[in-house]
Amino acid sequence: MFSFLNSFRPLDFILGLFSQDVGIDLGTANTLVSVRDRGIIINEPSWVAIRKRTREPLAVGAEAKEMVGRTPADIIAIRPLRDGVISEFEITEAMLNYFINKVHEQLLTPFPRPRVVVGIPAGVTEVEERAVRDAAIAAGAREAYLIEEPVAAAIGAGLPIMESRGSMIVDIGGGTTEVAIFSMGGVVVRRSVRVAGDEMDEDIVAYARNKYNLMIGERMAERAKIAAGSAFPLPEERTITLRGRNLINGLPQSVEISSIELREAMAPSINVIVDTVKDAIDETPPELVADLMEAGICLAGGGGKIRGLEDRIEDSVKIRVWVADDPMTCVARGAGKVLEDFDYWSRVLATDDRSRRLK
Ligand code: ADP
Ligand code: MG
């Protein structure tokens, strides 16, 4: 009773009645914000443009990404979470601040002091965890809870993680791939690697350079990946034009590249992802493997949309693989579901066990 009184802050309680609770997918590539009863209201790249000299943030999100490659030398655009590590605490804070304020501008909430649930990569350290929580509080959150991205993704994808029968998510983002196998609300096996969509783009850049002496930018590589990339032979292979600069004579050059070549280019990162899934299954108790054979493996994240990835994984682990509905919004929708039924989820997930970690 005493501790209840201690933790009861009347002012926060009253402010809470007026502010919207906010779920945030702080992704390495994209940040999504969902608000109770309204769904996802923000979906922007996790980019911040800063003045190089002072490191003062100038623009965030879509506006910052637009500036890439078009700004004066003094302004650079960065992705503070690029590798799933919070390398730039102040910039991450500025980004969270911007998104939380934007929610309140859009919804015209009188007192922007929301309860916030933030999805973070499962591989982050405790120091990084504290950094995100502090950033959310500094950005105006009344309470900030962290949830591991694969847990939020699984909830968003509708996997029955509270049941005793096992379920499995593979969330492939820009910077990290997170694999988790659940039973009774806990993570039984988890794997996190810093190989995902960005690395595939880098693979394509390297391939074009090595094979064609063609220097292309990462955004060109990403466009090629989305338009014609694949992880398994396609029923109808495609071609796409890469535009860049010839490394020998320095002149602009375009090269037609086939989806077969792109597959070869992306193979190093795809192989790491497939091996990570395999390792996780190798570690899983046999009863749960039997459950997975029935339930299948669910893919989420932007990388889950790569053509033929289901077939590629299925072929190597012999378990059915399916892509979640709207895979890029699973984490944000999962964080939103946690807020909708906060008492339930905080009861079942709140524990010091690192595996659940809503705290
Ligand atoms: P994060 O959670 O790390 O922010 P996302 O889940 O938003 O990442 O996914 C971003 C990644 O997904 C990027 O590497 C992007 O290129 C890739 N991606 C997005 N759409 C597609 C697509 N249709 N096919 C292949 N890759 C895609
Ligand atoms: Mg993500």
Side-chain angles (χ1 to χ4, degrees):
M1 184 64 184
F2 194 63
S3 76
F4 168 74
L5 284 176
N6 262 345
S7 64
F8 182 71
R9 284 168 298 179
L11 184 63
D12 276 354
F13 176 75
I14 293 163
L15 291 180
L17 296 178
F18 290 99
S19 56
Q20 295 283 350
D21 291 339
V22 173
I24 301 180
D25 168 9
L26 195 58
T28 66
N30 297 295
T31 297
L32 281 71
V33 179
S34 72
V35 170
R36 218 190 142 133
D37 301 329
R38 305 205 187 214
I40 292 167
I41 63 163
I42 293 177
N43 183 350
E44 292 196 42
S46 308
W47 286 80
V48 182
I50 59 169
R51 199 177 295 287
K52 212 168 168 183
R53 209 166 19 87
T54 57
R55 306 198 71 72
E56 162 206 2
L58 300 171
V60 180
E63 201 190 330
K65 191 175 182 184
E66 267 306 299
M67 288 174 148
V68 179
R70 296 198 177 88
T71 52
D74 182 36
I75 298 172
I76 51 170
I78 55 177
R79 285 170 57 187
L81 295 150
R82 174 147 204 158
D83 301 311
V85 219
I86 293 123
S87 48
E88 306 262 6
F89 173 65
E90 265 117 48
I91 294 170
T92 306
E93 183 182 319
M95 196 169 82
L96 269 177
N97 205 335
Y98 167 89
F99 288 125
I100 291 177
N101 283 323
K102 193 162 176 180
V103 168
H104 292 289
E105 266 166 34
Q106 282 190 17
L107 302 180
L108 299 172
T109 12
F111 304 105
R113 297 271 288 144
R115 173 192 275 158
V116 173
V117 169
V118 189
I120 49 160
V124 307
T125 64
E126 276 179 49
V127 175
E128 289 169 341
E129 229 173 63
R130 194 159 338 111
V132 173
R133 200 198 319 252
D134 291 351
I137 299 286
R142 166 170 50 101
E143 296 162 27
Y145 299 85
L146 304 180
I147 185 166
E148 285 184 16
E149 276 169 359
V151 177
I155 295 172
L159 299 188
I161 66 167
M162 299 311 300
E163 287 178 17
S164 57
R165 79 189 153 94
S167 45
M168 176 166 182
I169 191 104
V170 179
D171 177 2
I172 307 164
T176 59
T177 295
E178 317 257 354
V179 178
I181 294 162
F182 304 90
S183 171
M184 302 182 75
V187 179
V188 183
V189 177
R190 67 155 62 73
R191 279 276 192 274
S192 173
V193 278
R194 289 181 178 177
V195 174
D198 294 337
E199 188 103 351
M200 296 172 204
D201 304 344
E202 286 160 28
D203 282 347
I204 294 171
V205 170
Y207 186 91
R209 190 181 51 227
N210 297 337
K211 186 161 178 190
Y212 295 108
N213 283 316
L214 179 70
M215 182 72 188
I216 59 168
E218 268 176 39
R219 294 186 66 184
M220 174 92 243
E222 183 184 26
R223 280 204 295 277
K225 170 186 74 179
I226 293 175
S230 66
F232 205 72
L234 299 175
E236 246 174 80
E237 299 291 351
R238 319 171 166 213
T239 55
I240 181 166
T241 309
L242 295 181
R243 292 200 176 79
R245 192 161 46 83
N246 184 286
L247 278 170
I248 316 270
N249 60 21
L251 295 175
Q253 184 188 5
S254 32
V255 169
E256 288 270 303
I257 183 169
S258 71
S259 50
I260 300 169
E261 291 174 286
L262 282 172
R263 193 154 58 242
E264 189 187 329
M266 291 158 62
S269 13
I270 300 280
N271 289 342
V272 171
I273 293 170
V274 173
D275 287 346
T276 306
V277 172
K278 251 198 219 154
D279 284 354
I281 292 172
D282 278 348
E283 249 186 59
T284 304
E287 291 296 340
L288 289 184
V289 174
D291 292 342
L292 296 182
M293 290 172 71
E294 243 173 67
I297 299 171
C298 176
L299 299 186
K305 301 207 302 194
I306 290 172
R307 281 179 206 83
L309 188 58
E310 312 98 287
D311 303 325
R312 175 66 210 283
I313 297 177
E314 204 165 304
D315 192 57
S316 89
V317 301
K318 309 296 175 211
I319 293 176
R320 181 172 62 86
V321 180
W322 49 285
V323 182
D325 275 349
D326 202 1
M328 289 180 85
T329 62
C330 286
V331 172
R333 285 186 288 124
K337 278 190 192 171
V338 167
L339 283 166
E340 250 163 54
D341 218 343
F342 190 78
D343 290 341
Y344 169 74
W345 287 108
S346 58
R347 203 170 55 243
V348 296
L349 297 174
T351 156
D352 277 329
D353 170 5
R354 260 179 79 82
S355 69
R356 304 190 206 173
R357 202 152 36 149
L358 180 72
K359 55 186 183 188

